[in-house]
Amino acid sequence: MTPVATLLNTLSVRNPRNGVVSCDTPSTAIDQLDAIVSRARAAQVNWQALGVEGRIAVLARWRDLLAGMQDQLIAAVTLDTGRIRESRREAANIGKWIDRWSVIAPVALASSDGPTSMPGFTYTSDHAPIPVLGVISPWNFPMSLSVMDAIPALLAGCAVIIKPSEVTPHFIGPIEDSIAQVPELAGVLTYIRGAGDLGAALIDRVDGICFTGSTATGRKVAARAGARLIPCFVELGGKDAAIVLEGADLERAARAIVTGATLGTGQQCYSVERIYVARAIHDQFLALLTDKARKLDLALPQPDDGPIGPLIFAPQAAIIEAHLADARAKGAIVHCGGEIERHGGGLWVRPTVLSNVTHDMAVMRDETFGPLLPVMAFDSVDEAVRLANDSNYGLTGAVFGPQDQAMAVARRMNAGGINVNDAGATPFFIGDALVCANDSFGDSGLGGSRTGPASILRFVRQKMIVTNVTNDPSAWWYDV
Ligand code: NDP
Protein backbone atom coordinates (compact mmCIF):
# COMPACT_ATOMS: atom_id res chain seq x y z
CA MET A 1 0.00 0.00 0.00
CA THR A 2 1.13 3.57 -0.62
CA PRO A 3 0.26 5.34 2.59
CA VAL A 4 -1.33 8.74 2.25
CA ALA A 5 1.33 10.15 4.47
CA THR A 6 5.03 9.90 3.90
CA LEU A 7 6.31 8.50 7.15
CA LEU A 8 9.10 10.76 8.25
CA ASN A 9 10.14 10.23 11.84
CA THR A 10 10.63 7.11 13.90
CA LEU A 11 9.43 5.97 17.32
CA SER A 12 11.73 4.30 19.82
CA VAL A 13 10.08 1.12 21.05
CA ARG A 14 11.14 -1.09 23.97
CA ASN A 15 10.79 -4.86 23.73
CA PRO A 16 9.13 -5.87 27.04
CA ARG A 17 10.85 -9.29 27.16
CA ASN A 18 14.45 -8.11 26.82
CA GLY A 19 14.33 -4.34 27.30
CA VAL A 20 16.03 -3.72 23.95
CA VAL A 21 15.00 -0.41 22.42
CA SER A 22 14.66 -0.19 18.65
CA CYS A 23 14.19 3.00 16.68
CA ASP A 24 12.96 1.66 13.36
CA THR A 25 9.19 2.21 13.70
CA PRO A 26 8.05 5.08 11.47
CA SER A 27 5.80 7.77 12.91
CA THR A 28 3.23 10.07 11.33
CA ALA A 29 4.02 13.79 11.36
CA ILE A 30 1.29 16.09 12.70
CA ASP A 31 1.39 18.18 9.51
CA GLN A 32 0.26 15.09 7.57
CA LEU A 33 -2.95 14.80 9.55
CA ASP A 34 -4.98 17.30 7.52
CA ALA A 35 -4.47 15.23 4.37
CA ILE A 36 -5.26 11.99 6.21
CA VAL A 37 -8.50 13.41 7.60
CA SER A 38 -9.51 14.89 4.21
CA ARG A 39 -8.98 11.51 2.58
CA ALA A 40 -11.12 9.84 5.25
CA ARG A 41 -13.83 12.47 4.86
CA ALA A 42 -13.98 11.90 1.10
CA ALA A 43 -13.93 8.08 1.41
CA GLN A 44 -16.68 8.10 4.05
CA VAL A 45 -19.28 9.28 1.51
CA ASN A 46 -19.10 6.10 -0.55
CA TRP A 47 -18.72 3.99 2.59
CA GLN A 48 -21.99 5.33 3.97
CA ALA A 49 -23.66 4.93 0.58
CA LEU A 50 -22.85 1.19 0.61
CA GLY A 51 -25.54 0.72 3.25
CA VAL A 52 -25.19 -1.51 6.26
CA GLU A 53 -25.40 -4.79 4.31
CA GLY A 54 -22.72 -3.55 1.90
CA ARG A 55 -20.46 -2.58 4.78
CA ILE A 56 -21.01 -5.97 6.45
CA ALA A 57 -19.95 -7.69 3.21
CA VAL A 58 -16.76 -5.63 2.97
CA LEU A 59 -15.83 -6.25 6.61
CA ALA A 60 -16.47 -9.98 6.10
CA ARG A 61 -13.82 -9.95 3.35
CA TRP A 62 -11.43 -8.17 5.69
CA ARG A 63 -12.20 -10.76 8.40
CA ASP A 64 -11.36 -13.59 5.98
CA LEU A 65 -8.04 -11.97 5.11
CA LEU A 66 -7.21 -11.55 8.78
CA ALA A 67 -8.08 -15.20 9.39
CA GLY A 68 -5.32 -16.15 6.96
CA MET A 69 -2.82 -13.86 8.72
CA GLN A 70 -3.21 -15.07 12.30
CA ASP A 71 0.43 -16.12 12.66
CA GLN A 72 1.70 -12.72 11.52
CA LEU A 73 -0.72 -10.86 13.78
CA ILE A 74 0.13 -13.02 16.78
CA ALA A 75 3.87 -12.61 16.18
CA ALA A 76 3.56 -8.83 15.89
CA VAL A 77 1.44 -8.33 18.99
CA THR A 78 3.68 -10.74 20.92
CA LEU A 79 6.62 -8.51 20.00
CA ASP A 80 4.65 -5.56 21.39
CA THR A 81 3.45 -7.16 24.62
CA GLY A 82 5.91 -9.98 25.32
CA ARG A 83 3.11 -12.51 25.84
CA ILE A 84 1.57 -15.06 23.54
CA ARG A 85 -1.63 -16.37 25.18
CA GLU A 86 -3.35 -13.00 25.16
CA SER A 87 -1.87 -12.29 21.72
CA ARG A 88 -3.72 -15.31 20.34
CA ARG A 89 -6.90 -13.95 21.89
CA GLU A 90 -6.25 -10.50 20.47
CA ALA A 91 -5.74 -11.84 16.95
CA ALA A 92 -8.94 -13.89 17.14
CA ASN A 93 -10.96 -11.00 18.57
CA ILE A 94 -11.09 -8.97 15.35
CA GLY A 95 -12.95 -11.59 13.31
CA LYS A 96 -15.16 -12.50 16.26
CA TRP A 97 -16.16 -8.88 16.78
CA ILE A 98 -16.84 -8.30 13.08
CA ASP A 99 -19.20 -11.28 13.14
CA ARG A 100 -20.88 -10.22 16.36
CA TRP A 101 -21.43 -6.58 15.45
CA SER A 102 -22.59 -7.58 11.97
CA VAL A 103 -25.55 -9.24 13.71
CA ILE A 104 -26.38 -6.16 15.77
CA ALA A 105 -25.84 -3.50 13.10
CA PRO A 106 -28.81 -4.09 10.74
CA VAL A 107 -31.23 -4.18 13.67
CA ALA A 108 -29.74 -1.20 15.53
CA LEU A 109 -29.47 0.94 12.41
CA ALA A 110 -32.89 0.13 10.91
CA SER A 111 -34.95 3.24 10.39
CA SER A 112 -38.60 3.31 11.40
CA ASP A 113 -41.62 5.40 10.56
CA GLY A 114 -45.23 5.81 11.60
CA PRO A 115 -47.96 8.20 12.64
CA THR A 116 -47.43 10.93 15.23
CA SER A 117 -49.76 12.25 17.91
CA MET A 118 -50.50 15.17 15.58
CA PRO A 119 -53.10 14.37 12.91
CA GLY A 120 -51.72 14.74 9.40
CA PHE A 121 -48.10 14.24 10.42
CA THR A 122 -45.90 11.15 10.11
CA TYR A 123 -42.40 10.66 11.38
CA THR A 124 -39.38 8.85 9.99
CA SER A 125 -36.47 8.07 12.27
CA ASP A 126 -33.11 8.03 10.52
CA HIS A 127 -29.42 7.98 11.48
CA ALA A 128 -26.44 9.93 10.20
CA PRO A 129 -23.01 8.54 11.08
CA ILE A 130 -20.31 10.67 12.66
CA PRO A 131 -18.38 11.18 9.40
CA VAL A 132 -14.79 10.85 10.66
CA LEU A 133 -14.20 9.22 14.02
CA GLY A 134 -10.83 9.28 15.78
CA VAL A 135 -9.79 6.37 18.02
CA ILE A 136 -6.96 6.70 20.54
CA SER A 137 -6.00 3.42 22.22
CA PRO A 138 -3.59 2.20 24.95
CA TRP A 139 -0.78 -0.36 25.11
CA ASN A 140 -2.24 -3.05 27.35
CA PHE A 141 -4.27 -4.89 24.68
CA PRO A 142 -2.95 -2.87 21.77
CA MET A 143 -4.57 -4.65 18.83
CA SER A 144 -7.97 -5.41 20.39
CA LEU A 145 -8.42 -1.96 21.86
CA SER A 146 -7.53 -0.30 18.56
CA VAL A 147 -10.47 -2.06 16.82
CA MET A 148 -12.97 -2.39 19.67
CA ASP A 149 -14.65 0.91 18.84
CA ALA A 150 -13.58 1.01 15.19
CA ILE A 151 -15.60 -2.06 14.14
CA PRO A 152 -19.02 -0.83 15.34
CA ALA A 153 -18.18 2.65 14.03
CA LEU A 154 -17.34 1.27 10.57
CA LEU A 155 -20.61 -0.65 10.53
CA ALA A 156 -22.43 2.55 11.50
CA GLY A 157 -20.94 4.19 8.39
CA CYS A 158 -18.09 6.24 9.88
CA ALA A 159 -14.58 6.53 8.49
CA VAL A 160 -12.12 5.78 11.30
CA ILE A 161 -8.59 7.01 12.01
CA ILE A 162 -6.82 5.07 14.77
CA LYS A 163 -3.87 6.29 16.86
CA PRO A 164 -2.68 3.36 18.97
CA SER A 165 -0.19 3.81 21.78
CA GLU A 166 3.35 4.58 20.68
CA VAL A 167 4.53 1.99 23.21
CA THR A 168 3.23 -0.97 21.16
CA PRO A 169 3.16 -0.17 17.42
CA HIS A 170 4.42 -3.42 15.81
CA PHE A 171 0.96 -4.90 15.27
CA ILE A 172 -0.03 -1.98 13.02
CA GLY A 173 2.03 -3.16 10.04
CA PRO A 174 0.23 -6.48 9.43
CA ILE A 175 -3.15 -4.83 9.99
CA GLU A 176 -2.30 -2.16 7.41
CA ASP A 177 -1.26 -4.89 4.97
CA SER A 178 -4.67 -6.53 5.38
CA ILE A 179 -6.56 -3.24 4.98
CA ALA A 180 -4.62 -2.56 1.77
CA GLN A 181 -6.10 -5.72 0.26
CA VAL A 182 -9.67 -4.47 0.65
CA PRO A 183 -10.09 -1.56 -1.80
CA GLU A 184 -13.34 -0.32 -0.19
CA LEU A 185 -11.44 0.32 3.07
CA ALA A 186 -8.94 2.71 1.47
CA GLY A 187 -9.23 5.95 3.43
CA VAL A 188 -12.11 4.49 5.43
CA LEU A 189 -9.86 2.77 7.98
CA THR A 190 -6.47 4.34 8.62
CA TYR A 191 -3.83 3.76 11.31
CA ILE A 192 -1.44 6.53 12.28
CA ARG A 193 1.64 6.15 14.47
CA GLY A 194 2.78 8.55 17.13
CA ALA A 195 2.61 9.73 20.72
CA GLY A 196 0.17 11.82 22.75
CA ASP A 197 0.75 14.99 20.73
CA LEU A 198 -0.46 13.20 17.59
CA GLY A 199 -3.54 12.01 19.51
CA ALA A 200 -4.25 15.55 20.65
CA ALA A 201 -3.90 16.86 17.09
CA LEU A 202 -6.28 14.14 15.90
CA ILE A 203 -8.97 15.33 18.32
CA ASP A 204 -8.68 18.80 16.76
CA ARG A 205 -9.58 17.48 13.31
CA VAL A 206 -12.14 14.65 13.62
CA ASP A 207 -15.91 14.76 14.16
CA GLY A 208 -15.96 12.46 17.19
CA ILE A 209 -13.41 10.74 19.40
CA CYS A 210 -13.16 7.40 21.20
CA PHE A 211 -10.44 7.16 23.81
CA THR A 212 -9.31 4.21 25.91
CA GLY A 213 -6.61 4.91 28.44
CA SER A 214 -5.86 6.43 31.81
CA THR A 215 -8.28 8.67 33.65
CA ALA A 216 -5.70 11.49 33.69
CA THR A 217 -5.35 11.52 29.89
CA GLY A 218 -9.08 10.88 29.47
CA ARG A 219 -9.83 14.16 31.23
CA LYS A 220 -7.57 16.01 28.76
CA VAL A 221 -9.21 14.26 25.81
CA ALA A 222 -12.72 15.05 27.06
CA ALA A 223 -11.81 18.71 27.68
CA ARG A 224 -10.36 19.05 24.19
CA ALA A 225 -13.38 17.37 22.61
CA GLY A 226 -15.67 19.53 24.75
CA ALA A 227 -14.02 22.69 23.46
CA ARG A 228 -14.88 21.55 19.92
CA LEU A 229 -18.35 20.22 20.91
CA ILE A 230 -17.67 16.86 19.28
CA PRO A 231 -19.01 13.58 20.68
CA CYS A 232 -16.50 11.98 23.03
CA PHE A 233 -16.44 8.43 24.42
CA VAL A 234 -13.81 7.75 27.07
CA GLU A 235 -13.16 4.32 28.61
CA LEU A 236 -10.75 4.81 31.50
CA GLY A 237 -9.18 3.17 34.51
CA GLY A 238 -10.64 1.00 37.22
CA LYS A 239 -10.10 -0.29 40.75
CA ASP A 240 -12.49 -3.20 40.52
CA ALA A 241 -13.68 -4.84 43.72
CA ALA A 242 -14.57 -8.49 44.34
CA ILE A 243 -16.73 -9.42 47.35
CA VAL A 244 -16.78 -12.96 48.75
CA LEU A 245 -19.85 -13.59 50.92
CA GLU A 246 -20.28 -16.33 53.51
CA GLY A 247 -21.73 -19.36 51.79
CA ALA A 248 -19.72 -18.77 48.61
CA ASP A 249 -18.01 -21.71 46.92
CA LEU A 250 -14.52 -20.71 48.07
CA GLU A 251 -12.63 -22.92 45.65
CA ARG A 252 -14.57 -21.37 42.77
CA ALA A 253 -14.20 -17.82 44.10
CA ALA A 254 -10.44 -18.18 44.62
CA ARG A 255 -9.91 -19.60 41.13
CA ALA A 256 -12.04 -16.96 39.40
CA ILE A 257 -10.52 -14.10 41.40
CA VAL A 258 -6.91 -15.16 40.91
CA THR A 259 -7.62 -15.35 37.18
CA GLY A 260 -9.52 -12.05 37.08
CA ALA A 261 -6.69 -10.28 38.91
CA THR A 262 -3.76 -11.68 36.93
CA LEU A 263 -4.93 -12.20 33.32
CA GLY A 264 -2.65 -10.08 31.17
CA THR A 265 -0.42 -9.71 34.27
CA GLY A 266 -3.12 -7.50 35.74
CA GLN A 267 -2.58 -4.94 32.97
CA GLN A 268 -6.31 -4.78 32.34
CA CYS A 269 -8.74 -1.99 33.14
CA TYR A 270 -11.24 -4.51 34.49
CA SER A 271 -8.80 -6.52 36.62
CA VAL A 272 -9.89 -7.42 40.13
CA GLU A 273 -7.77 -5.01 42.20
CA ARG A 274 -9.43 -5.25 45.65
CA ILE A 275 -10.90 -8.29 47.41
CA TYR A 276 -13.28 -8.13 50.40
CA VAL A 277 -14.00 -11.39 52.24
CA ALA A 278 -16.43 -12.17 55.06
CA ARG A 279 -14.38 -12.46 58.26
CA ALA A 280 -15.61 -15.99 59.03
CA ILE A 281 -14.10 -17.33 55.80
CA HIS A 282 -11.22 -14.87 55.42
CA ASP A 283 -8.34 -17.13 56.54
CA GLN A 284 -9.54 -20.12 54.55
CA PHE A 285 -10.04 -18.01 51.42
CA LEU A 286 -6.65 -16.31 51.84
CA ALA A 287 -4.89 -19.69 52.02
CA LEU A 288 -6.70 -20.93 48.90
CA LEU A 289 -5.98 -17.73 46.98
CA THR A 290 -2.29 -17.76 47.95
CA ASP A 291 -1.97 -21.40 46.97
CA LYS A 292 -3.43 -20.71 43.53
CA ALA A 293 -1.44 -17.49 43.02
CA ARG A 294 1.82 -19.36 43.72
CA LYS A 295 1.00 -21.84 40.93
CA LEU A 296 0.97 -19.13 38.25
CA ASP A 297 4.42 -19.13 36.65
CA LEU A 298 6.18 -16.37 34.80
CA ALA A 299 6.21 -16.87 31.01
CA LEU A 300 9.94 -17.67 31.06
CA PRO A 301 12.09 -18.50 29.25
CA GLN A 302 9.58 -18.68 26.39
CA PRO A 303 6.27 -16.77 26.04
CA ASP A 304 4.32 -20.04 26.21
CA ASP A 305 6.02 -21.22 29.41
CA GLY A 306 3.62 -19.61 31.87
CA PRO A 307 0.56 -17.37 32.14
CA ILE A 308 2.28 -14.32 33.65
CA GLY A 309 3.92 -12.19 30.97
CA PRO A 310 6.29 -9.25 31.47
CA LEU A 311 5.25 -5.69 32.28
CA ILE A 312 4.71 -4.07 28.89
CA PHE A 313 5.37 -0.46 29.85
CA ALA A 314 8.50 -0.05 32.01
CA PRO A 315 7.25 3.00 34.02
CA GLN A 316 4.35 0.83 35.28
CA ALA A 317 6.90 -1.08 37.41
CA ALA A 318 7.53 2.05 39.49
CA ILE A 319 3.79 2.40 40.25
CA ILE A 320 3.51 -1.24 41.31
CA GLU A 321 6.68 -0.93 43.41
CA ALA A 322 5.33 2.23 45.09
CA HIS A 323 2.01 0.51 45.93
CA LEU A 324 3.89 -2.43 47.45
CA ALA A 325 6.24 -0.20 49.46
CA ASP A 326 3.36 1.93 50.77
CA ALA A 327 1.36 -1.18 51.74
CA ARG A 328 4.34 -2.79 53.51
CA ALA A 329 5.14 0.44 55.36
CA LYS A 330 1.54 0.62 56.63
CA GLY A 331 1.46 -2.97 57.86
CA ALA A 332 0.34 -5.17 54.96
CA ILE A 333 1.47 -8.81 54.96
CA VAL A 334 2.83 -10.20 51.68
CA HIS A 335 1.96 -13.89 51.21
CA CYS A 336 3.60 -14.48 47.83
CA GLY A 337 5.28 -12.48 45.09
CA GLY A 338 5.86 -8.90 46.18
CA GLU A 339 8.89 -7.89 44.11
CA ILE A 340 9.66 -6.47 40.70
CA GLU A 341 11.92 -9.11 39.17
CA ARG A 342 14.39 -8.50 36.37
CA HIS A 343 14.93 -11.34 33.90
CA GLY A 344 16.79 -10.99 30.61
CA GLY A 345 16.19 -7.25 30.49
CA GLY A 346 12.42 -7.53 31.09
CA LEU A 347 10.44 -6.48 34.18
CA TRP A 348 8.22 -9.09 35.84
CA VAL A 349 5.92 -9.38 38.87
CA ARG A 350 4.58 -12.65 40.24
CA PRO A 351 0.97 -12.72 41.45
CA THR A 352 1.16 -11.03 44.84
CA VAL A 353 -1.36 -11.73 47.60
CA LEU A 354 -1.53 -9.16 50.41
CA SER A 355 -3.56 -9.16 53.61
CA ASN A 356 -3.95 -6.80 56.55
CA VAL A 357 -4.62 -4.00 54.08
CA THR A 358 -6.70 -0.84 54.65
CA HIS A 359 -8.16 1.95 52.56
CA ASP A 360 -5.32 4.20 53.75
CA MET A 361 -3.07 2.30 51.36
CA ALA A 362 -2.59 3.27 47.71
CA VAL A 363 -3.03 -0.40 46.76
CA MET A 364 -6.69 -0.17 47.84
CA ARG A 365 -7.38 3.24 46.29
CA ASP A 366 -5.35 3.83 43.12
CA GLU A 367 -5.20 1.77 39.95
CA THR A 368 -2.17 -0.56 40.24
CA PHE A 369 -2.36 -2.18 36.77
CA GLY A 370 -0.37 -5.20 37.93
CA PRO A 371 -1.06 -8.67 39.42
CA LEU A 372 -1.64 -7.56 43.03
CA LEU A 373 -4.43 -9.19 45.09
CA PRO A 374 -4.99 -7.24 48.34
CA VAL A 375 -7.49 -9.01 50.62
CA MET A 376 -9.48 -7.30 53.40
CA ALA A 377 -11.99 -8.80 55.87
CA PHE A 378 -15.50 -7.40 56.40
CA ASP A 379 -17.97 -7.95 59.24
CA SER A 380 -21.30 -7.30 57.50
CA VAL A 381 -22.70 -7.18 53.99
CA ASP A 382 -23.35 -3.46 54.45
CA GLU A 383 -19.68 -2.94 55.27
CA ALA A 384 -18.63 -4.96 52.20
CA VAL A 385 -20.81 -2.81 49.94
CA ARG A 386 -19.58 0.40 51.56
CA LEU A 387 -15.93 -0.63 51.09
CA ALA A 388 -16.46 -1.75 47.49
CA ASN A 389 -18.18 1.55 46.69
CA ASP A 390 -15.49 3.60 48.44
CA SER A 391 -13.75 4.41 45.15
CA ASN A 392 -13.81 7.11 42.50
CA TYR A 393 -13.85 4.39 39.86
CA GLY A 394 -16.79 2.27 38.72
CA LEU A 395 -15.83 0.03 35.82
CA THR A 396 -16.70 -3.52 36.91
CA GLY A 397 -17.08 -5.57 40.07
CA ALA A 398 -17.63 -9.15 41.20
CA VAL A 399 -19.55 -10.86 43.96
CA PHE A 400 -19.46 -14.51 45.04
CA GLY A 401 -22.08 -16.16 47.23
CA PRO A 402 -25.48 -17.84 47.25
CA GLN A 403 -27.28 -16.62 44.12
CA ASP A 404 -29.98 -14.42 45.72
CA GLN A 405 -27.63 -12.81 48.21
CA ALA A 406 -24.98 -12.23 45.56
CA MET A 407 -27.54 -10.69 43.22
CA ALA A 408 -28.74 -8.35 45.96
CA VAL A 409 -25.17 -7.18 46.54
CA ALA A 410 -24.56 -6.83 42.77
CA ARG A 411 -27.48 -4.39 42.55
CA ARG A 412 -25.90 -2.24 45.26
CA MET A 413 -22.38 -2.13 43.76
CA ASN A 414 -21.44 1.14 42.15
CA ALA A 415 -20.07 -0.01 38.78
CA GLY A 416 -21.38 -0.53 35.28
CA GLY A 417 -20.60 -4.24 34.85
CA ILE A 418 -21.02 -6.71 37.71
CA ASN A 419 -20.04 -10.40 37.64
CA VAL A 420 -22.01 -12.75 39.87
CA ASN A 421 -20.07 -15.88 40.80
CA ASP A 422 -17.44 -15.04 38.20
CA ALA A 423 -14.82 -12.35 37.74
CA GLY A 424 -13.62 -10.40 34.72
CA ALA A 425 -16.34 -11.91 32.52
CA THR A 426 -17.99 -8.71 31.28
CA PRO A 427 -15.47 -7.91 28.49
CA PHE A 428 -16.08 -11.31 26.95
CA PHE A 429 -19.53 -9.98 25.97
CA ILE A 430 -18.16 -7.13 23.83
CA GLY A 431 -20.28 -7.00 20.67
CA ASP A 432 -22.59 -9.80 21.87
CA ALA A 433 -26.07 -9.30 20.43
CA LEU A 434 -27.68 -11.08 23.37
CA VAL A 435 -26.34 -8.85 26.11
CA CYS A 436 -27.47 -5.48 27.43
CA ALA A 437 -25.65 -2.15 27.63
CA ASN A 438 -23.30 -1.15 30.45
CA ASP A 439 -21.86 2.25 31.31
CA SER A 440 -18.66 3.18 33.10
CA PHE A 441 -19.40 4.91 36.39
CA GLY A 442 -17.45 7.76 37.98
CA ASP A 443 -13.84 8.27 36.89
CA SER A 444 -13.97 5.09 34.79
CA GLY A 445 -15.50 6.73 31.77
CA LEU A 446 -18.12 8.68 29.96
CA GLY A 447 -20.21 8.42 26.86
CA GLY A 448 -21.97 5.14 26.25
CA SER A 449 -21.78 1.39 26.26
CA ARG A 450 -19.52 -0.98 24.32
CA THR A 451 -22.13 -3.72 24.57
CA GLY A 452 -25.62 -4.14 23.18
CA PRO A 453 -27.16 -2.11 20.33
CA ALA A 454 -26.09 1.09 22.14
CA SER A 455 -22.49 0.25 21.16
CA ILE A 456 -23.30 1.03 17.52
CA LEU A 457 -25.81 3.80 18.12
CA ARG A 458 -23.01 5.79 19.84
CA PHE A 459 -21.63 6.50 16.38
CA VAL A 460 -24.72 7.91 14.70
CA ARG A 461 -26.61 11.10 15.24
CA GLN A 462 -30.35 10.43 15.38
CA LYS A 463 -32.55 12.27 12.93
CA MET A 464 -36.26 12.96 13.10
CA ILE A 465 -37.97 13.61 9.76
CA VAL A 466 -41.58 14.78 10.14
CA THR A 467 -43.81 15.00 7.08
CA ASN A 468 -47.06 16.89 6.69
CA VAL A 469 -49.01 14.44 4.57
CA THR A 470 -52.07 16.68 4.17
CA ASN A 471 -52.79 19.54 1.79
CA ASP A 472 -54.02 21.66 4.70
CA PRO A 473 -52.25 24.58 6.34
CA SER A 474 -50.88 23.79 9.79
CA ALA A 475 -52.69 25.21 12.77
CA TRP A 476 -49.81 27.48 13.87
CA TRP A 477 -49.12 29.09 10.47
CA TYR A 478 -49.68 32.85 10.08
CA ASP A 479 -52.85 33.66 8.26
CA VAL A 480 -51.08 35.43 5.42
P1 NDP B 1 -2.67 6.66 28.49
O1 NDP B 1 -3.80 7.47 28.97
O2 NDP B 1 -1.30 7.04 28.92
O3 NDP B 1 -2.62 6.64 26.90
C1 NDP B 1 -3.74 6.22 26.12
C2 NDP B 1 -3.57 6.77 24.70
O4 NDP B 1 -3.68 8.19 24.72
C3 NDP B 1 -2.22 6.47 24.08
O5 NDP B 1 -2.40 6.21 22.69
C4 NDP B 1 -1.48 7.75 24.31
O6 NDP B 1 -0.42 7.91 23.41
C5 NDP B 1 -2.57 8.77 24.06
N1 NDP B 1 -2.35 10.09 24.63
C6 NDP B 1 -1.49 10.45 25.62
N2 NDP B 1 -1.62 11.78 25.89
C7 NDP B 1 -2.59 12.26 25.07
C8 NDP B 1 -3.21 13.54 24.89
N3 NDP B 1 -2.86 14.60 25.61
N4 NDP B 1 -4.18 13.66 23.97
C9 NDP B 1 -4.58 12.58 23.25
N5 NDP B 1 -4.04 11.35 23.37
C10 NDP B 1 -3.06 11.18 24.27
O7 NDP B 1 -3.02 5.16 28.89
P2 NDP B 1 -2.10 3.89 28.80
O8 NDP B 1 -1.67 3.69 27.38
O9 NDP B 1 -1.07 3.98 29.88
O10 NDP B 1 -3.15 2.70 29.13
C11 NDP B 1 -3.41 2.25 30.41
C12 NDP B 1 -4.70 2.81 30.92
O11 NDP B 1 -5.77 2.46 30.05
C13 NDP B 1 -5.10 2.27 32.27
O12 NDP B 1 -5.51 3.33 33.12
C14 NDP B 1 -6.29 1.36 31.98
O13 NDP B 1 -7.15 1.21 33.04
C15 NDP B 1 -6.89 2.06 30.81
N6 NDP B 1 -7.73 1.12 30.05
C16 NDP B 1 -9.08 1.26 30.09
C17 NDP B 1 -9.91 0.36 29.43
C18 NDP B 1 -11.40 0.49 29.47
O14 NDP B 1 -12.06 -0.12 28.63
N7 NDP B 1 -11.98 1.24 30.39
C19 NDP B 1 -9.33 -0.77 28.69
C20 NDP B 1 -7.91 -0.81 28.72
C21 NDP B 1 -7.14 0.12 29.37
P3 NDP B 1 1.04 7.36 23.79
O15 NDP B 1 0.92 6.06 24.51
O16 NDP B 1 1.63 7.19 22.46
O17 NDP B 1 1.63 8.43 24.65
Side-chain angles (χ1 to χ4, degrees):
M1 179 178 71
T2 312
V4 108
T6 325
L7 298 168
L8 297 174
N9 309 314
T10 55
L11 301 173
S12 58
V13 184
R14 176 185 166 276
N15 181 321
R17 290 192 76 82
N18 58 25
V20 172
V21 175
S22 59
C23 299
D24 50 4
T25 303
S27 74
T28 311
I30 289 176
D31 62 13
Q32 297 168 322
L33 264 187
D34 284 335
I36 293 170
V37 174
S38 296
R39 183 175 184 237
R41 203 171 289 292
Q44 187 271 337
V45 176
N46 286 340
W47 181 245
Q48 183 179 348
L50 275 180
V52 66
E53 294 299 343
R55 296 192 291 271
I56 287 172
V58 173
L59 291 187
R61 292 209 324 273
W62 184 41
R63 174 205 60 204
D64 293 345
L65 278 164
L66 290 165
M69 296 175 59
Q70 291 291 292
D71 290 348
Q72 273 167 273
L73 293 168
I74 292 167
V77 82
T78 300
L79 193 58
D80 280 327
T81 61
R83 60 193 188 201
I84 195 158
R85 295 171 188 222
E86 290 85 352
S87 300
R88 292 191 188 110
R89 220 171 86 207
E90 287 208 66
N93 274 343
I94 310 180
K96 180 176 84 182
W97 288 341
I98 289 173
D99 286 343
R100 284 183 166 187
W101 265 304
S102 294
V103 173
I104 299 180
V107 181
L109 297 172
S111 72
S112 63
D113 48 37
T116 67
S117 59
M118 201 178 301
F121 276 87
T122 62
Y123 84 92
T124 300
S125 122
D126 200 12
H127 301 117
I130 293 170
V132 181
L133 182 81
V135 169
I136 300 174
S137 54
W139 47 260
N140 58 329
F141 282 83
M143 188 153 65
S144 296
L145 288 167
S146 78
V147 295
M148 190 181 279
D149 294 314
I151 291 169
L154 287 168
L155 286 165
C158 312
V160 182
I161 300 172
I162 305 172
K163 206 271 328 153
S165 171
E166 67 169 326
V167 175
T168 48
H170 290 107
F171 78 93
I172 302 172
I175 295 232
E176 280 179 330
D177 291 346
S178 69
I179 295 168
Q181 294 177 58
V182 184
E184 294 93 332
L185 291 180
V188 168
L189 178 57
T190 309
Y191 277 83
I192 57 177
R193 296 171 173 83
D197 57 342
L198 186 69
L202 182 66
I203 302 167
D204 290 343
R205 288 162 174 80
V206 290
D207 308 310
I209 191 81
C210 282
F211 170 85
T212 307
S214 64
T215 297
T217 311
R219 286 188 205 283
K220 293 185 202 164
V221 167
R224 203 150 180 147
R228 293 197 56 225
L229 292 179
I230 59 169
C232 171
F233 313 96
V234 295
E235 292 280 345
L236 310 175
K239 189 72 192 170
D240 296 355
I243 296 175
V244 186
L245 301 172
E246 262 191 274
D249 176 340
L250 294 193
E251 174 67 29
R252 177 186 179 85
R255 186 172 166 194
I257 288 172
V258 83
T259 307
T262 64
L263 262 182
T265 315
Q267 302 165 112
Q268 303 196 95
C269 52
Y270 49 79
S271 279
V272 174
E273 291 219 355
R274 302 176 282 149
I275 303 152
Y276 303 98
V277 185
R279 196 171 298 281
I281 54 171
H282 172 272
D283 292 354
Q284 192 188 349
F285 177 81
L286 189 63
L288 271 173
L289 190 71
T290 305
D291 179 52
K292 292 186 189 306
R294 283 202 178 108
K295 289 181 178 150
L296 299 175
D297 292 329
L298 300 182
L300 283 171
Q302 297 303 322
D304 240 342
D305 286 342
I308 308 298
L311 298 178
I312 298 170
F313 186 45
Q316 199 64 38
I319 295 174
I320 297 170
E321 214 156 31
H323 284 197
L324 284 167
D326 174 68
R328 279 193 171 102
K330 291 174 179 161
I333 300 164
V334 178
H335 298 267
C336 57
E339 307 296 336
I340 304 289
E341 300 180 21
R342 287 164 176 78
H343 300 286
L347 298 165
W348 303 75
V349 191
R350 288 176 201 277
T352 297
V353 176
L354 302 158
S355 68
N356 209 32
V357 294
T358 70
H359 277 213
D360 293 331
M361 299 176 186
V363 76
M364 295 301 275
R365 286 194 319 266
D366 303 334
E367 189 180 47
T368 309
F369 227 53
L372 270 49
L373 299 98
V375 180
M376 188 170 171
F378 64 81
D379 290 307
S380 70
V381 171
D382 283 347
E383 186 189 14
V385 172
R386 182 181 60 72
L387 289 167
N389 289 344
D390 180 21
S391 172
N392 292 336
Y393 293 110
L395 201 55
T396 78
V399 53
F400 292 81
Q403 197 74 25
D404 290 353
Q405 293 170 39
M407 185 59 87
V409 169
R411 291 187 192 281
R412 296 172 66 190
M413 287 177 80
N414 198 23
I418 309 290
N419 306 273
V420 172
N421 288 322
D422 211 320
T426 53
F428 290 95
F429 295 95
I430 296 284
D432 190 324
L434 298 179
V435 83
C436 56
N438 79 106
D439 292 330
S440 303
F441 290 14
D443 289 354
S444 288
L446 189 70
S449 174
R450 278 174 161 166
T451 54
S455 59
I456 287 185
L457 291 172
R458 286 180 296 167
F459 302 123
V460 293
R461 284 84 44 89
Q462 306 200 49
K463 291 173 72 172
M464 173 180 72
I465 302 170
V466 287
T467 306
N468 187 332
V469 293
T470 72
N471 292 321
D472 304 329
S474 291
W476 58 89
W477 290 7
Y478 289 125
D479 189 14
V480 289

